[in-house]
Amino acid sequence: MPRKPARPGAGSPGQPPHRIVLLAHQLRTPLSAIGALAQGLMRRAKRLSAEDVRGRAERIWQASLRLDELIDMIMTYTRASAGGMLLDPAEFNPEALIGRACREQSSQAPERPFVIDIQGLPETIIGDPVLLEQALVIVLSNAMKYSAPDRPVGVTARPCAKGIEVVVRDQGIGISPLDLPFLTRPFFRGRNVKEIPGTGLGLSLAWHILMLHGGALDVESQEGRGTTVTLTIPERNVTGATGLL
């Protein structure tokens, strides 16, 4: 059975000062990379080949994407935790949304195999497509981050009683059973990911987005064998809720 993560705020370790230090460190890492690479380009511009310049420019671009992702996540989380996140519902094609999110993530790691199986979804559902895509991207990004680059990420989507289910499977490091109840607590990070960059905000934000839609986010995992995350999205949600964090 899927393990339901605890509601954000439900007891787990971590004090606010530690969280602020973690955020500052995560923001500083890509910023430091951008600064060092840009300085290297300026100092060695005349001695670098076109290939060297392209390589360094690509690393700067990747670091800037990471920084932008962190800032966007922090801003969205801040809005959610203040009760200011409301849905902007619209009709959208769920298959197109899932395909777009998968292509975006795949383009960042072309060597990563993606196995996509989408069948029988309704032509349109009603919800906030921007927020739902953000939740799916968070889950896909985690699947990629916590598994080896050559290991596949599987994405399956099917209709269900409430609407649709999107299941993301990886063959990565997995999650300790001791950590599973706390996965959606803001800033919480598992004991086996300390050396992997991250803020601990992603799943908390994805959980919140699904709750706003009246849906669910469930996690199954075995340490060392991979993780399966199921996003349940109702077919119609036009109201949303606030104050869940």
Side-chain angles (χ1 to χ4, degrees):
M1 292 289 292
R3 184 70 174 268
K4 291 184 179 295
R7 180 177 185 264
S12 74
Q15 297 298 321
H18 298 161
R19 298 172 182 177
I20 294 169
V21 170
L22 173 64
L23 270 183
H25 174 73
Q26 295 300 328
L27 289 169
R28 187 175 292 119
T29 298
L31 189 60
S32 297
I34 291 169
L37 288 164
Q39 287 182 43
L41 279 175
M42 289 188 297
R43 292 171 181 167
R44 303 179 181 89
K46 294 182 179 179
R47 302 194 301 274
L48 292 174
S49 68
E51 185 176 349
D52 287 334
V53 171
R54 278 194 300 270
R56 291 173 187 241
E58 183 174 355
R59 290 166 63 190
I60 290 173
W61 177 62
Q62 292 290 346
S64 70
L65 287 179
R66 175 61 180 158
L67 187 59
D68 185 62
E69 175 188 325
L70 286 169
I71 291 171
D72 183 60
M73 187 176 295
I74 291 165
M75 291 177 67
T76 306
Y77 170 77
T78 301
R79 184 158 52 96
S81 63
M85 180 184 283
L86 296 174
L87 301 185
D88 184 12
E91 283 193 352
F92 66 93
N93 181 292
E95 183 171 349
L97 184 148
I98 295 165
R100 184 169 58 249
C102 291
R103 286 193 301 274
E104 176 188 323
Q105 294 305 297
S106 179
S107 68
Q108 296 184 26
E111 73 284 1
R112 167 85 62 179
F114 265 72
V115 181
I116 302 171
D117 181 9
I118 302 174
Q119 295 183 32
L121 299 188
E123 184 66 23
T124 60
I125 64 176
I126 298 177
D128 189 320
V130 174
L131 290 180
L132 288 171
E133 186 168 346
Q134 184 174 16
L136 179 55
V137 164
I138 288 168
V139 175
L140 290 170
S141 177
N142 280 353
M144 296 168 67
K145 182 190 299 184
Y146 299 118
S147 60
D150 62 340
R151 304 311 297 163
V153 170
V155 182
T156 303
R158 296 286 190 276
C160 65
K162 289 190 67 176
I164 68 171
E165 280 187 352
V166 183
V167 181
V168 178
R169 296 182 177 87
D170 68 58
Q171 299 177 16
I173 62 175
I175 302 161
S176 163
L178 298 176
D179 292 334
L180 274 173
F182 307 116
L183 287 182
T184 57
R185 179 174 173 83
F187 300 99
F188 179 80
R189 305 200 72 217
R191 61 201 69 209
N192 62 343
V193 301
K194 300 302 183 184
E195 303 304 316
I196 302 174
T199 62
L201 288 178
L203 274 185
S204 175
L205 182 55
W207 179 92
H208 188 71
I209 290 169
L210 269 297
M211 292 302 102
L212 283 175
H213 281 82
L217 185 149
D218 299 311
V219 181
E220 294 180 274
S221 189
Q222 288 185 288
E223 195 166 8
R225 300 191 64 180
T227 299
T228 299
V229 181
T230 301
L231 298 87
T232 304
I233 305 169
E235 194 165 346
R236 293 180 64 86
N237 188 296
V238 295
T239 54
T242 58
L244 289 174
L245 290 181

